Each structure stands twice: as structure tokens, then as C-alpha cells.
Amino acid sequence: MEKTEKIWNRRFILLFITNLLVLAAFYASIPIIPIYCQEIGITGSKVGIVLTAMSVATILFRPVAGYLLDNFNRYRVYLLFLTLFCLSFPAFIVFPAFGALILVRLYMGAVYSVCASATMTLAGDVLPVAKITEGISRFAFTVSIGMAVGPYVGLQVQDNMSSKASFLTIFGITVVALICVSCCRIHYPKVERKKFSIKDSIYGPAVPFMLNMMFLMIPYGAVIAYSSILAQEKDITAFLPYFYICLVAGMLVSKLSTQKMIDAGKHRVLVYASLAVLIVTMVSFLFLSTGVHLLVAGFFFGLGYGILQPLFQAFVTGTTPAPKRGVANATYMLPYDIGIGIGSLLMGFMQESIGLTVGFAVTAIAYVVGGAVYTAYVDGYYRRLKTA
């Protein structure tokens, strides 16, 4: 495979754009699904079940995703599963029923598990060995931006046109992503294929990072899935699209202001600072009553995740040898599915019992647990891996 000494080489740029579009499409669907469900008569905890169904499928299929990426041609595997992922969005329109939507989300989760693991793996393969950690830290920023831009686009189309139009728009975004990655043309040598085993489908060194990030993603899943319904309850729906703009702004500020610290290895202070910001932000939802408050919360929410997500992704990829990056990334991406699934499901029940604002504040406990796990184990674990 052709290598280069530049981080921003042609293939890396195309993969960067592809991953940004795929993640934007995926995260665009999360806040529009609850509204779409209400439109077709699905309410309460059933909405949480529809949202969580995808996480269940993704969790179950992640081990298979890692196996496919490490035992077959990664590039061809990605092309196939990205094509399948594109088809999931028109399916929401074709099958507007509770049971059918659960099946659609299960299908979506299975194919997305491969897509989400593949692009990060491919990006590591096209980077110069000496710059993998730096390059992946930059590439992982597509996760942060996609998580913010996607919901903004989806909700704008849904509010101004219809839910069906929003799903078709997301479908169009994934088609553009497919075209971009088709232009990469990454060539791999023939791989010596091994038999699939559950034991080999989990990359042990990535597990501590996975468990740590799982707690950190629970509040994110709650906010992204139920921010649209919260805005309706507080009569500040007009501010909701700008919530995601502020989310992007926070992520951009965090990226521009902390990249040098990340490259210099000053990770600990960044993790603690971002957790403090996120805890205060989630607790502040107890007092949410104005659109301005929602926008400020969006900015600081983006600020915190704009630091944490690229940082933890760099931890994993920067300490994993190339032949194991597929299974390592598949292992690491599990907490995104689990955390978002838990957050969505919990909020579905808490909406009916204690209300969304109290529910959002309660999820801040997950940050405290995540911070404790990082302090007690993950920080020292990463440093040992780097010096091994």
C-alpha cells in the first residue's frame, strides 16, 4: 500500500470527509427519530426501545466487524457495508410501524458497526507510522463534528419540510460519502485469514479505554436523543437548531485551543477539565427555562466532548499495531453504542417518571464514575502502554 510522510495526504483527506459525512448522517437520525415516532403514534418508553434497538445490534455485531476488517480486504469490506448503511434511511419511510422500525434499527446497527470501525482503521493505515497518534487525533475530530452537525441538519430539514424529507436528506449525505471513499482506491496485500473466535474478536489492550468511554457517552446519548422533546416541553423549539451550532462552536474551540497540549502529551489536565465542564453543564439543565441557556449548554457540551473523543481515540490507535487496528477500533467503538443506548433508554423511562430536566442532571453521575475510572486506572494504563 502506498505510504506518505504527510498527515494530510489525499487518501486521508477523502477518508476524513467520508467519516464526517457518515457520522453526520448517523447522528442526524438520533434526534429526528423520537419526533418521527410521535408523528406515527409511537410514544413514551417505546421511543427509547426503538432508539436502543440499534445499539443492541451494534454491540452484538462489533466483534464480527473487527474480524472482517482484520481478515478480509478492509477497503472492500467498507465499500460493501457503507452501501448497505445508505439503504437504512429510506427504510424508515417505507416501514412506519413500531415492530418494523425496531427491525430497521437492528439492521442499521449491524451495518453501522462495520462502517464506524472501518474508517478509523483505514485512516491509521494511510498515515505515516511516526505520525499515527497525531493524525488519528485530528481524524477523530470528525466524530465530534459529525455528532453536532448531523443533528442540526436533520432537525432543520424536519422542522422546515418533513420527517420523510429529513430521512431522504440523510440518505443523500451517505451517498456522497460512498462516492468520496470510492475515490480513495486503497490497495491491500492478500490477508492470511483466520477462523473467527469470540476470544480474538475483543482486543484486550483497548478494553480499559472502552469501559471508560462507555460512562462518558451515557449523558451524550440522553441529550442528543431527547433534546428535541425537551425543547418542545420548554417551548424553546426555535432555539434547538442553534443548540447544535453552539455544539459545533464548542468543539471547534476545544480543538483549536487544545491540540498542542494533546500533541505534547498533557492529557490528564484536559480530561479533568472537560469532565468538570460537562458535569456543570448537565446539572444546569435543572434550571433550564430559556433558549439562551440551551445555547450556552450546547457550547460547553461541545467543548467537553471536543476534547474527550479525539483524546481517547488517539489513546487506542496510537498504542495498537497495524494488524490489530481493526479489532482494536471495533472494541473501542463499543462504548459509543452502549453509552448512547443506555442514555437513550434511561431517558425514555425518566421522561415518564422524573422528567427530562431532572433526568439530564442525573446522568452527570456517569461523568463522575468515568472520571474515577480514569484516575484509578486508565491514566496509568495508557502511560504504561506508551512506554512498553
Side-chain angles (χ1 to χ4, degrees):
M1 184 174 61
E2 180 187 341
K3 297 290 285 187
T4 175
E5 292 306 310
K6 296 190 301 181
I7 289 178
W8 293 101
N9 60 74
R10 183 182 68 85
R11 289 191 175 109
F12 183 83
I13 292 170
L14 284 170
L15 288 170
F16 187 96
I17 296 170
T18 299
N19 204 43
L20 178 59
L21 293 174
V22 170
L23 290 167
F26 168 64
Y27 286 105
S29 68
I30 296 177
I32 67 176
I33 287 174
I35 297 175
Y36 176 63
C37 285
Q38 289 183 338
E39 289 173 355
I40 60 176
I42 301 171
T43 58
S45 58
K46 286 187 176 181
V47 177
I49 293 171
V50 171
L51 288 168
T52 308
M54 177 175 172
S55 297
V56 172
T58 309
I59 291 164
L60 294 175
F61 207 77
R62 282 283 187 194
V64 179
Y67 173 79
L68 292 174
L69 293 172
D70 286 341
N71 289 275
F72 293 85
N73 185 303
R74 291 173 178 172
Y75 180 61
R76 292 177 182 173
V77 168
Y78 185 45
L79 286 176
L80 171 62
F81 277 84
L82 182 53
T83 302
L84 296 174
F85 181 64
C86 293
L87 300 176
S88 60
F89 297 103
F92 282 96
I93 301 173
V94 178
F95 305 107
F98 177 59
L101 288 183
I102 290 176
L103 294 177
V104 171
R105 291 284 288 174
L106 289 171
Y107 164 82
M108 189 178 177
V111 297
Y112 178 74
S113 66
V114 178
C115 294
S117 303
T119 37
M120 203 67 69
T121 306
L122 293 172
D125 291 341
V126 302
L127 283 167
V129 175
K131 296 182 178 180
I132 285 179
T133 301
E134 292 179 46
I136 290 299
S137 174
R138 287 158 175 76
F139 191 83
F141 194 52
T142 58
V143 180
S144 304
I145 295 298
M147 290 169 76
V149 172
Y152 170 77
V153 172
L155 285 170
Q156 282 288 72
V157 177
Q158 189 178 47
D159 290 343
N160 293 291
M161 297 177 70
S162 66
S163 293
K164 290 182 179 180
S166 63
F167 285 122
L168 291 176
T169 300
I170 298 170
F171 171 67
I173 291 172
T174 57
V175 170
V176 174
L178 183 59
I179 293 171
C180 285
V181 78
S182 298
C183 296
C184 284
R185 305 187 180 215
I186 304 173
H187 302 286
Y188 284 95
K190 190 173 181 180
V191 181
E192 184 179 346
R193 203 167 299 161
K194 300 177 182 178
K195 288 185 177 180
F196 174 78
S197 73
I198 295 295
K199 181 181 177 182
D200 294 334
S201 66
I202 299 294
Y203 185 64
V207 170
F209 305 118
M210 178 197 82
L211 294 175
N212 204 167
M213 184 54 75
M214 180 187 72
F215 290 105
L216 304 182
M217 291 305 297
I218 290 173
Y220 185 87
V223 170
I224 295 303
Y226 283 87
S227 57
S228 54
I229 296 177
L230 176 64
Q232 287 179 345
E233 289 183 357
K234 297 294 181 179
D235 197 25
I236 51 175
T237 305
F239 289 86
L240 186 60
Y242 305 103
F243 168 80
Y244 293 102
I245 291 179
C246 290
L247 193 61
V248 173
M251 289 177 172
L252 287 172
V253 169
S254 70
K255 187 65 176 176
L256 296 174
S257 60
T258 63
Q259 186 60 58
K260 289 184 179 180
M261 293 180 70
I262 292 175
D263 293 343
K266 298 179 180 179
H267 304 144
R268 190 181 301 167
V269 64
L270 290 174
V271 171
Y272 293 146
S274 60
L275 287 176
V277 167
L278 288 169
I279 289 170
V280 171
T281 300
M282 294 306 293
V283 172
S284 78
F285 276 104
L286 283 170
F287 313 102
L288 180 70
S289 60
T290 67
V292 173
H293 185 161
L294 182 69
L295 300 184
V296 173
F299 176 82
F300 285 106
F301 202 60
L303 194 69
Y305 278 102
I307 297 171
L308 288 177
Q309 289 164 337
L311 196 55
F312 272 79
Q313 181 66 63
F315 289 167
V316 175
T317 308
T319 57
T320 304
K324 291 289 185 179
R325 281 189 199 129
V327 68
N329 282 319
T331 300
Y332 170 69
M333 294 304 290
L334 272 172
Y336 286 78
D337 313 319
I338 298 172
I340 290 175
I342 292 173
S344 301
L345 187 62
L346 283 177
M347 291 310 300
F349 290 104
M350 285 195 283
Q351 180 191 9
E352 297 176 326
S353 55
I354 61 176
L356 291 180
T357 53
V358 177
F360 280 11
V362 168
T363 63
I365 295 171
Y367 292 134
V368 177
V369 176
V373 172
Y374 176 80
T375 302
Y377 184 60
V378 171
D379 181 41
Y381 176 78
Y382 171 70
R383 295 176 191 280
R384 290 194 296 274
L385 284 181
K386 285 294 287 182
T387 55

Tab-separated table of all heavy atoms in Angstrom, residues 203-235:
chain	number	residue	atom	x	y	z
A	203	TYR	N	-10.147	-6.885	21.505
A	203	TYR	CA	-8.737	-6.535	21.671
A	203	TYR	C	-8.510	-6.083	23.110
A	203	TYR	O	-8.937	-4.993	23.502
A	203	TYR	CB	-8.355	-5.439	20.678
A	203	TYR	CG	-6.876	-5.100	20.685
A	203	TYR	CD1	-5.929	-6.045	20.310
A	203	TYR	CD2	-6.431	-3.837	21.069
A	203	TYR	CE1	-4.580	-5.747	20.307
A	203	TYR	CE2	-5.086	-3.522	21.056
A	203	TYR	CZ	-4.159	-4.497	20.676
A	203	TYR	OH	-2.815	-4.189	20.677
A	204	GLY	N	-7.865	-6.942	23.889
A	204	GLY	CA	-7.703	-6.713	25.319
A	204	GLY	C	-7.163	-5.349	25.713
A	204	GLY	O	-7.722	-4.684	26.595
A	205	PRO	N	-6.055	-4.873	25.082
A	205	PRO	CA	-5.495	-3.584	25.485
A	205	PRO	C	-6.437	-2.393	25.305
A	205	PRO	O	-6.229	-1.350	25.917
A	205	PRO	CB	-4.262	-3.450	24.574
A	205	PRO	CG	-3.864	-4.853	24.277
A	205	PRO	CD	-5.160	-5.601	24.150
A	206	ALA	N	-7.484	-2.539	24.462
A	206	ALA	CA	-8.419	-1.425	24.244
A	206	ALA	C	-9.575	-1.426	25.233
A	206	ALA	O	-10.324	-0.454	25.323
A	206	ALA	CB	-8.974	-1.475	22.816
A	207	VAL	N	-9.742	-2.510	25.990
A	207	VAL	CA	-10.896	-2.654	26.876
A	207	VAL	C	-10.974	-1.567	27.954
A	207	VAL	O	-12.057	-1.008	28.195
A	207	VAL	CB	-10.927	-4.063	27.508
A	207	VAL	CG1	-11.973	-4.144	28.611
A	207	VAL	CG2	-11.230	-5.103	26.439
A	208	PRO	N	-9.861	-1.212	28.646
A	208	PRO	CA	-9.967	-0.143	29.643
A	208	PRO	C	-10.455	1.175	29.064
A	208	PRO	O	-11.266	1.873	29.682
A	208	PRO	CB	-8.531	-0.021	30.180
A	208	PRO	CG	-7.949	-1.376	29.976
A	208	PRO	CD	-8.516	-1.838	28.676
A	209	PHE	N	-9.971	1.538	27.875
A	209	PHE	CA	-10.434	2.771	27.226
A	209	PHE	C	-11.910	2.650	26.868
A	209	PHE	O	-12.676	3.608	26.974
A	209	PHE	CB	-9.611	3.050	25.972
A	209	PHE	CG	-8.134	3.112	26.208
A	209	PHE	CD1	-7.270	2.215	25.604
A	209	PHE	CD2	-7.585	4.076	27.044
A	209	PHE	CE1	-5.911	2.268	25.823
A	209	PHE	CE2	-6.222	4.148	27.268
A	209	PHE	CZ	-5.378	3.230	26.645
A	210	MET	N	-12.303	1.452	26.445
A	210	MET	CA	-13.696	1.202	26.081
A	210	MET	C	-14.622	1.397	27.284
A	210	MET	O	-15.643	2.089	27.196
A	210	MET	CB	-13.829	-0.230	25.558
A	210	MET	CG	-15.250	-0.642	25.184
A	210	MET	SD	-15.461	-2.428	25.033
A	210	MET	CE	-15.691	-2.874	26.755
A	211	LEU	N	-14.272	0.789	28.413
A	211	LEU	CA	-15.102	0.895	29.599
A	211	LEU	C	-15.185	2.324	30.105
A	211	LEU	O	-16.244	2.793	30.543
A	211	LEU	CB	-14.557	-0.029	30.699
A	211	LEU	CG	-14.648	-1.530	30.405
A	211	LEU	CD1	-13.960	-2.327	31.504
A	211	LEU	CD2	-16.090	-1.979	30.240
A	212	ASN	N	-14.069	3.037	30.045
A	212	ASN	CA	-14.052	4.428	30.488
A	212	ASN	C	-14.979	5.292	29.632
A	212	ASN	O	-15.813	6.046	30.135
A	212	ASN	CB	-12.636	4.961	30.426
A	212	ASN	CG	-12.389	6.136	31.359
A	212	ASN	OD1	-11.259	6.530	31.602
A	212	ASN	ND2	-13.428	6.723	31.899
A	213	MET	N	-14.876	5.148	28.315
A	213	MET	CA	-15.689	5.961	27.413
A	213	MET	C	-17.166	5.597	27.484
A	213	MET	O	-18.026	6.449	27.229
A	213	MET	CB	-15.169	5.817	25.978
A	213	MET	CG	-15.881	6.696	24.956
A	213	MET	SD	-15.913	8.461	25.384
A	213	MET	CE	-14.229	8.938	25.029
A	214	MET	N	-17.485	4.358	27.867
A	214	MET	CA	-18.883	3.950	27.970
A	214	MET	C	-19.649	4.857	28.935
A	214	MET	O	-20.744	5.326	28.630
A	214	MET	CB	-18.977	2.502	28.451
A	214	MET	CG	-20.408	1.987	28.592
A	214	MET	SD	-20.503	0.354	29.341
A	214	MET	CE	-20.068	0.753	31.049
A	215	PHE	N	-19.053	5.133	30.095
A	215	PHE	CA	-19.710	6.011	31.070
A	215	PHE	C	-19.841	7.439	30.522
A	215	PHE	O	-20.853	8.106	30.739
A	215	PHE	CB	-18.918	6.028	32.377
A	215	PHE	CG	-18.987	4.740	33.135
A	215	PHE	CD1	-17.913	3.876	33.153
A	215	PHE	CD2	-20.144	4.387	33.823
A	215	PHE	CE1	-17.976	2.670	33.850
A	215	PHE	CE2	-20.223	3.185	34.523
A	215	PHE	CZ	-19.126	2.321	34.529
A	216	LEU	N	-18.817	7.886	29.797
A	216	LEU	CA	-18.816	9.259	29.310
A	216	LEU	C	-19.840	9.493	28.201
A	216	LEU	O	-20.252	10.630	27.965
A	216	LEU	CB	-17.408	9.628	28.796
A	216	LEU	CG	-16.271	9.443	29.802
A	216	LEU	CD1	-14.941	9.882	29.189
A	216	LEU	CD2	-16.537	10.220	31.087
A	217	MET	N	-20.281	8.421	27.537
A	217	MET	CA	-21.234	8.565	26.441
A	217	MET	C	-22.692	8.474	26.875
A	217	MET	O	-23.589	8.779	26.103
A	217	MET	CB	-20.956	7.510	25.360
A	217	MET	CG	-19.664	7.720	24.595
A	217	MET	SD	-19.535	9.357	23.841
A	217	MET	CE	-20.903	9.321	22.693
A	218	ILE	N	-22.950	8.060	28.114
A	218	ILE	CA	-24.342	7.938	28.583
A	218	ILE	C	-25.068	9.291	28.556
A	218	ILE	O	-26.175	9.394	27.999
A	218	ILE	CB	-24.389	7.301	29.988
A	218	ILE	CG1	-23.995	5.825	29.892
A	218	ILE	CG2	-25.783	7.444	30.603
A	218	ILE	CD1	-23.853	5.139	31.248
A	219	PRO	N	-24.489	10.366	29.117
A	219	PRO	CA	-25.180	11.660	29.041
A	219	PRO	C	-25.343	12.156	27.607
A	219	PRO	O	-26.355	12.798	27.280
A	219	PRO	CB	-24.282	12.596	29.856
A	219	PRO	CG	-23.493	11.684	30.745
A	219	PRO	CD	-23.269	10.459	29.934
A	220	TYR	N	-24.364	11.862	26.761
A	220	TYR	CA	-24.476	12.306	25.369
A	220	TYR	C	-25.684	11.660	24.689
A	220	TYR	O	-26.448	12.328	23.993
A	220	TYR	CB	-23.204	11.978	24.587
A	220	TYR	CG	-23.249	12.543	23.192
A	220	TYR	CD1	-22.823	13.840	22.936
A	220	TYR	CD2	-23.786	11.811	22.137
A	220	TYR	CE1	-22.913	14.382	21.664
A	220	TYR	CE2	-23.881	12.343	20.877
A	220	TYR	CZ	-23.440	13.628	20.642
A	220	TYR	OH	-23.555	14.160	19.394
A	221	GLY	N	-25.837	10.350	24.903
A	221	GLY	CA	-26.987	9.665	24.318
A	221	GLY	C	-28.300	10.250	24.801
A	221	GLY	O	-29.252	10.396	24.029
A	222	ALA	N	-28.361	10.620	26.078
A	222	ALA	CA	-29.583	11.209	26.640
A	222	ALA	C	-29.898	12.550	25.996
A	222	ALA	O	-31.043	12.814	25.599
A	222	ALA	CB	-29.428	11.369	28.155
A	223	VAL	N	-28.894	13.405	25.888
A	223	VAL	CA	-29.105	14.761	25.370
A	223	VAL	C	-29.462	14.745	23.885
A	223	VAL	O	-30.420	15.403	23.458
A	223	VAL	CB	-27.850	15.630	25.609
A	223	VAL	CG1	-27.968	16.955	24.863
A	223	VAL	CG2	-27.674	15.897	27.098
A	224	ILE	N	-28.701	14.004	23.091
A	224	ILE	CA	-28.949	14.003	21.647
A	224	ILE	C	-30.302	13.376	21.313
A	224	ILE	O	-31.015	13.844	20.430
A	224	ILE	CB	-27.808	13.270	20.910
A	224	ILE	CG1	-26.493	14.040	21.084
A	224	ILE	CG2	-28.118	13.132	19.424
A	224	ILE	CD1	-26.533	15.484	20.602
A	225	ALA	N	-30.672	12.334	22.029
A	225	ALA	CA	-31.934	11.656	21.720
A	225	ALA	C	-33.153	12.465	22.151
A	225	ALA	O	-34.197	12.434	21.487
A	225	ALA	CB	-31.954	10.278	22.391
A	226	TYR	N	-33.038	13.219	23.266
A	226	TYR	CA	-34.223	13.850	23.836
A	226	TYR	C	-34.173	15.381	23.881
A	226	TYR	O	-35.070	16.005	24.454
A	226	TYR	CB	-34.481	13.296	25.243
A	226	TYR	CG	-35.097	11.920	25.181
A	226	TYR	CD1	-34.304	10.788	25.101
A	226	TYR	CD2	-36.473	11.751	25.140
A	226	TYR	CE1	-34.859	9.521	25.011
A	226	TYR	CE2	-37.049	10.496	25.053
A	226	TYR	CZ	-36.230	9.383	24.989
A	226	TYR	OH	-36.791	8.132	24.880
A	227	SER	N	-33.147	15.984	23.280
A	227	SER	CA	-33.086	17.448	23.269
A	227	SER	C	-34.262	18.055	22.504
A	227	SER	O	-34.786	19.108	22.879
A	227	SER	CB	-31.757	17.922	22.658
A	227	SER	OG	-31.600	17.405	21.342
A	228	SER	N	-34.692	17.390	21.433
A	228	SER	CA	-35.804	17.914	20.640
A	228	SER	C	-37.107	17.903	21.448
A	228	SER	O	-37.892	18.857	21.391
A	228	SER	CB	-35.970	17.100	19.348
A	228	SER	OG	-36.101	15.719	19.638
A	229	ILE	N	-37.334	16.826	22.210
A	229	ILE	CA	-38.547	16.744	23.028
A	229	ILE	C	-38.479	17.727	24.201
A	229	ILE	O	-39.473	18.368	24.558
A	229	ILE	CB	-38.757	15.303	23.528
A	229	ILE	CG1	-39.001	14.376	22.327
A	229	ILE	CG2	-39.930	15.228	24.496
A	229	ILE	CD1	-39.161	12.919	22.689
A	230	LEU	N	-37.280	17.883	24.796
A	230	LEU	CA	-37.112	18.852	25.880
A	230	LEU	C	-37.415	20.265	25.392
A	230	LEU	O	-38.089	21.046	26.082
A	230	LEU	CB	-35.681	18.780	26.429
A	230	LEU	CG	-35.336	19.810	27.514
A	230	LEU	CD1	-36.184	19.582	28.763
A	230	LEU	CD2	-33.854	19.752	27.865
A	231	ALA	N	-36.936	20.596	24.198
A	231	ALA	CA	-37.191	21.926	23.644
A	231	ALA	C	-38.683	22.155	23.429
A	231	ALA	O	-39.188	23.266	23.650
A	231	ALA	CB	-36.422	22.096	22.329
A	232	GLN	N	-39.395	21.114	23.022
A	232	GLN	CA	-40.846	21.229	22.855
A	232	GLN	C	-41.521	21.479	24.200
A	232	GLN	O	-42.415	22.320	24.316
A	232	GLN	CB	-41.403	19.948	22.221
A	232	GLN	CG	-41.065	19.792	20.740
A	232	GLN	CD	-41.625	18.501	20.162
A	232	GLN	OE1	-42.021	17.593	20.897
A	232	GLN	NE2	-41.630	18.401	18.849
A	233	GLU	N	-41.087	20.751	25.228
A	233	GLU	CA	-41.682	20.909	26.560
A	233	GLU	C	-41.460	22.312	27.114
A	233	GLU	O	-42.331	22.864	27.797
A	233	GLU	CB	-41.080	19.876	27.523
A	233	GLU	CG	-41.518	18.443	27.265
A	233	GLU	CD	-40.946	17.481	28.296
A	233	GLU	OE1	-40.168	17.930	29.170
A	233	GLU	OE2	-41.278	16.279	28.226
A	234	LYS	N	-40.300	22.904	26.847
A	234	LYS	CA	-39.955	24.224	27.385
A	234	LYS	C	-40.362	25.359	26.445
A	234	LYS	O	-40.093	26.537	26.725
A	234	LYS	CB	-38.445	24.305	27.645
A	234	LYS	CG	-37.939	23.314	28.691
A	234	LYS	CD	-38.501	23.630	30.070
A	234	LYS	CE	-37.982	22.679	31.133
A	234	LYS	NZ	-38.514	22.994	32.471
A	235	ASP	N	-40.973	24.997	25.312
A	235	ASP	CA	-41.418	25.982	24.332
A	235	ASP	C	-40.254	26.830	23.807
A	235	ASP	O	-40.372	28.045	23.639
A	235	ASP	CB	-42.504	26.892	24.933
A	235	ASP	CG	-43.278	27.646	23.860
A	235	ASP	OD1	-43.330	27.157	22.719
A	235	ASP	OD2	-43.812	28.731	24.164
